[in-house]
Amino acid sequence: MSVDDDESGIGAAAEALLRLIGLIAADTSDERLAAPARDLKRSRASAAAVAAVEEATEAARRITRTLAQRRRREAELAALFDTAGDLAALRNLDSVLRAIVHRARTLLGADLSYIALQDPEAGDTYMRVTDGSVSAAFQRLRLGMGEGLGGLVAETALPYASTDYRVDPRFRHTERIDSAVAEEGVHGIVGVPLRVGEQVIGVLFAADRAPRGFAPDDIAMLVSLANHAAVAIESVRQLEGSAQTLRELSEAARTSERLNRALRRAADAHDRLTGLVLSGGDVADLASQTAELFAGPIGIYDAEGGELARAGDGEVRFVAEGVEGSQAGRGAVLADGLWVCAVMAGPEPLGSIVLGGRTGLGEADRQLFERTALVTALLLLLRRSVADAEDRVRGELLDDLLTDAGRRRSGGSSLRLRARRLGIDLHRPHAVFVLDCDAQPRLASEANRHARAEGGLAGGRDGRPVLLLPATDPGAQAAKLAAAIGRSVGQPATVGASAPVDDPERLPEAYAEAVRCTEAMLTLGRRGEGACMEQLGFIGVLLGESGTDAFVQRTIGPVLDYDRRRGTDLVGTLEAYYAAGGHLAKTKAALNVHVNTVSQRLDRVAAILGRDWNAPARSLEVQLALRVHRLSRAGR
């Protein structure tokens, strides 16, 4: 070979190398990089030159592959960096998940990407968010542990890829999963775990609708993205948990503030109401304060439903069924549009308190209303204690006024002084009232209540309640007392009254007269009524005496005995005889017997009572005894 040939070969090789360098700079394909060596070989260049250019071509291929890998890595790193920035800026879990699947689909150039998250309660994974999916069945798919590619990733915490999942035997296929995959049209799939420490919280997938072999770089990039995503998901979960905790703490703080306000209000109300009670306030003052406290009408009632006090504007009334419900539930109840709370002293009902104008009552206000009922109970107990003490004082005074021993012990001036301290003027006309009823405990309470209401005295004598009341018409007053007390105690109440007296010295006599009147009314069968002696007439006077039975026995007793022994009715014949004005014919007509029979019976009476039984003076006694006997028998 000549020198010129050598120089020509070297020039051709140099030219080929220059072309190769230009192709490297142009980032051309492997096919085009082979062109300089191929053209040099066609030019019949020396084997050494061709070998040198081919060697340079291989080096160029390595260089371009390295540069491509570096550019791809730079792009992946830039994408991961951008993803980390995007994820760090997100504060909502759904937004984080959507950003993850979209970036995974973009980086891998896949047809779709999706995330399945763990469900600790169900023990499987479920599709949480997808990007590029068109199948509803695929989007609702749940994967049990070890089922399919995703279930295997979740179970083993390792990445898996399949060129064509439908025919890949490495995975446990189920009809449900394969059906959803077929509906979506998926073939190539890669899945990597989302891990937080050692815990797998889900799986990140990328998939194609054609068979695709995912390169190790693809899997590595998806793993890197999954690691970023897992951290972001956990951060968002913790952030949401912290936000929820902060919301709960904020709500707890607001609740605590409401409770503190309610407690302060309740404490202030309790101090006001108890202060009112301890300072001597009455039920009306308590009702007024409570109405102001609740901005509604308030009614306070006794155990029988009688109104003790009312305050505030609006309708309020006693509600019996509400009281029963409150007693049963031991708290305030809504009944007939009114809030009702029973006022109790342990198991003993003292009354009730009713609030109107409030269809709704919050828990704090309800507790405050119930506390008001407790204060009301305290006030009623104090009031009852004061009343009991006053009743004892009044009862002791009455006892001294009605007995000679008490009068001697206390002295007249002392009794009048004690009466004045209780607001009683003994020089005004007063009458004594004696009560008789089967409901003894409640009868005494009612007697005390009437005494306080009418400015009098009440006590007990010989097992019966006794009243000393101002009176100008004792008969009418006794009738009213009998009716009112009978209604209150639910039993007939009999009331006997004395005539009015304005001299304290005559009160023992007045008491004796009231006792005789009560006894006479019971004898006459007038139980449940009220009257004075004047209204009973002379029969009442007679029956009021202690010797009525003896009088009857002394006057017509032998005739009564005769009738009992013989089974006759001489008493009936005498009554018919006197009713007929002593006329025999009228008597026999009334008795429906023969006139001789009447004569024989009257002869028998004369034989028993004596021949003067029909004399004017003796006849009056016999007629009076007959009437007393009949009235006494009817009374019994």
Side-chain angles (χ1 to χ4, degrees):
M1 181 180 293
S2 64
V3 173
D4 290 337
D5 291 337
D6 290 340
E7 291 179 353
S8 176
I10 292 172
E15 184 179 351
L17 289 174
L18 287 174
R19 284 180 60 198
L20 186 61
I21 292 171
L23 292 171
I24 293 172
D27 193 18
T28 189
S29 63
D30 285 355
E31 182 63 27
R32 295 189 64 188
L33 285 175
R38 187 172 57 250
D39 291 345
L40 183 63
K41 184 182 290 187
R42 289 173 181 171
S43 66
R44 297 184 180 277
S46 64
V50 170
V53 172
E54 288 179 344
E55 183 178 351
T57 298
E58 288 301 321
R61 286 173 175 163
R62 289 194 297 271
I63 290 171
T64 56
R65 284 196 296 270
T66 301
L67 289 174
Q69 289 176 350
R70 288 182 177 176
R71 284 194 298 272
R72 180 177 178 181
R73 177 58 62 186
E74 288 175 358
E76 291 174 356
L77 290 175
L80 291 173
F81 181 78
D82 291 342
T83 299
D86 292 343
L87 297 179
L90 295 173
R91 291 295 182 267
N92 178 271
L93 182 58
D94 288 335
S95 299
V96 169
L97 297 178
R98 284 193 293 270
I100 291 170
V101 295
H102 180 73
R103 191 58 57 89
R105 181 185 178 195
T106 302
L107 290 177
L108 268 68
D111 292 331
L112 67 154
S113 181
Y114 48 96
I115 283 179
L117 293 183
Q118 287 259 19
D119 186 344
E121 294 183 1
D124 60 5
T125 59
Y126 63 97
M127 292 292 189
R128 177 62 185 269
V129 66
T130 64
D131 187 45
S133 173
V134 295
S135 167
F138 190 81
Q139 294 168 18
R140 294 194 300 266
L141 190 60
R142 298 184 76 96
L143 306 174
M145 286 297 176
E147 293 181 350
L149 186 146
L152 189 59
V153 173
E155 185 179 53
T156 63
L158 296 174
Y160 282 92
S162 175
T163 302
D164 192 345
Y165 173 80
R166 298 189 193 184
V167 296
D168 197 329
R170 293 177 299 161
F171 308 106
R172 190 199 310 169
H173 291 262
T174 67
E175 176 62 28
R176 178 172 45 84
I177 297 175
D178 288 352
S179 175
V181 169
E183 185 175 310
E184 187 65 58
V186 169
H187 286 273
I189 304 176
V190 59
V192 298
L194 297 170
R195 299 177 58 174
V196 177
E198 297 299 321
Q199 181 183 6
V200 177
I201 64 172
V203 181
L204 174 62
F205 298 88
D208 269 5
R209 293 190 175 88
R212 171 179 174 177
F214 290 92
D217 287 345
D218 294 332
I219 297 174
M221 189 275 296
L222 197 61
V223 167
S224 297
L225 182 62
N227 291 337
H228 281 78
V231 172
I233 291 171
E234 187 64 18
S235 298
V236 170
R237 281 180 170 176
Q238 292 180 358
L239 185 63
E240 289 183 346
S242 299
Q244 179 63 26
T245 301
L246 288 175
R247 286 193 295 270
E248 291 174 355
L249 289 174
S250 178
E251 181 61 29
R254 289 193 292 269
T255 302
S256 177
E257 177 60 25
R258 287 196 302 269
L259 291 175
N260 286 334
R261 286 198 301 269
L263 287 174
R264 287 194 296 270
R265 179 168 176 250
D268 177 65
H270 186 268
D271 291 343
R272 286 171 57 190
L273 295 178
T274 52
L276 182 149
V277 172
L278 296 176
S279 63
D282 58 15
V283 181
D285 297 327
L286 179 62
S288 177
Q289 289 280 355
T290 306
E292 180 181 340
L293 184 65
F294 288 98
I298 286 288
I300 299 177
Y301 304 89
D302 61 22
E304 285 73 37
E307 184 178 298
L308 300 177
R310 179 196 293 256
D313 297 328
E315 180 188 1
V316 67
R317 64 190 180 280
F318 177 72
V319 186
E321 60 271 22
V323 176
E324 294 173 359
S326 177
Q327 290 174 347
R330 289 304 211 181
V333 297
L334 184 63
D336 201 15
L338 299 169
W339 283 98
V340 182
C341 192
V343 178
M344 307 285 291
E348 180 187 0
L350 300 178
S352 61
I353 180 169
V354 179
L355 169 63
R358 297 284 295 274
T359 55
L361 203 61
E363 184 64 24
D365 281 347
R366 184 172 176 172
Q367 292 178 356
L368 183 57
F369 185 52
E370 291 170 353
R371 180 173 291 187
T372 303
L374 292 177
V375 176
T376 305
L378 174 63
L379 177 59
L380 294 182
L381 284 174
L382 288 175
R383 179 172 135 166
R384 188 170 71 178
S385 297
V386 170
D388 288 345
E390 183 176 333
D391 289 341
R392 284 195 297 272
V393 172
R394 290 174 176 270
E396 292 170 358
L397 173 59
L398 180 60
D399 190 66
D400 288 344
L401 286 170
L402 299 183
T403 60
D404 292 334
R407 300 175 62 77
R408 288 193 300 271
R409 183 173 59 252
S410 300
S413 59
S414 175
L415 290 174
R416 285 189 290 272
L417 177 60
R418 287 164 59 189
R420 278 199 301 272
R421 288 174 179 172
L422 296 174
I424 297 172
D425 182 4
L426 294 178
H427 291 291
R428 289 179 55 197
H430 283 73
V432 178
F433 300 84
V434 174
L435 283 60
D436 185 273
C437 182
D438 292 336
Q440 285 298 324
R442 294 190 62 190
L443 187 63
S445 176
E446 284 297 309
N448 286 321
R449 187 171 69 84
H450 280 278
R452 288 192 296 270
E454 299 183 32
L457 300 175
R461 295 284 298 163
D462 301 323
R464 284 177 174 157
V466 179
L467 288 166
L468 177 65
L469 302 176
T472 55
D473 186 356
Q477 197 166 346
K480 291 180 180 179
L481 273 174
I485 293 175
R487 284 193 303 269
S488 297
V489 302
Q491 295 282 347
T494 307
V495 181
S498 71
V501 296
D502 55 8
D503 182 359
E505 298 294 331
R506 295 175 53 196
L507 286 176
E509 299 173 10
Y511 167 66
E513 180 182 341
V515 171
R516 290 196 302 271
C517 182
T518 303
E519 294 291 348
M521 293 180 65
L522 294 174
T523 302
L524 291 170
R526 296 177 61 176
R527 183 176 298 274
E529 300 181 24
C532 64
M533 273 295 193
E534 183 179 354
Q535 293 173 315
L536 297 183
F538 81 95
I539 289 294
V541 174
L542 180 63
L543 291 176
E545 297 294 342
S546 59
T548 55
D549 289 342
F551 169 75
V552 171
Q553 190 63 32
R554 182 181 70 249
T555 306
I556 61 172
V559 178
L560 295 173
D561 293 339
Y562 184 88
D563 281 344
R564 278 196 296 272
R565 290 195 309 269
R566 303 294 181 89
T568 57
D569 188 18
L570 295 181
V571 169
T573 301
L574 283 173
E575 289 178 336
Y577 175 73
Y578 286 123
H583 198 287
L584 293 178
K586 292 180 179 180
T587 304
K588 69 99 177 175
L591 295 176
N592 196 23
V593 295
H594 196 274
V595 68
N596 292 336
T597 303
V598 175
S599 298
Q600 292 172 2
R601 291 180 181 179
L602 293 179
D603 289 341
R604 177 58 60 186
V605 170
I608 295 172
L609 296 181
R611 293 295 175 183
D612 62 344
W613 70 275
N614 206 19
R618 184 82 183 276
S619 176
L620 177 61
E621 289 186 358
V622 171
Q623 291 183 61
L624 187 57
L626 288 170
R627 189 170 183 185
V628 170
H629 173 66
R630 177 166 50 82
L631 291 174
S632 298
R633 184 172 53 194
R636 285 192 289 270

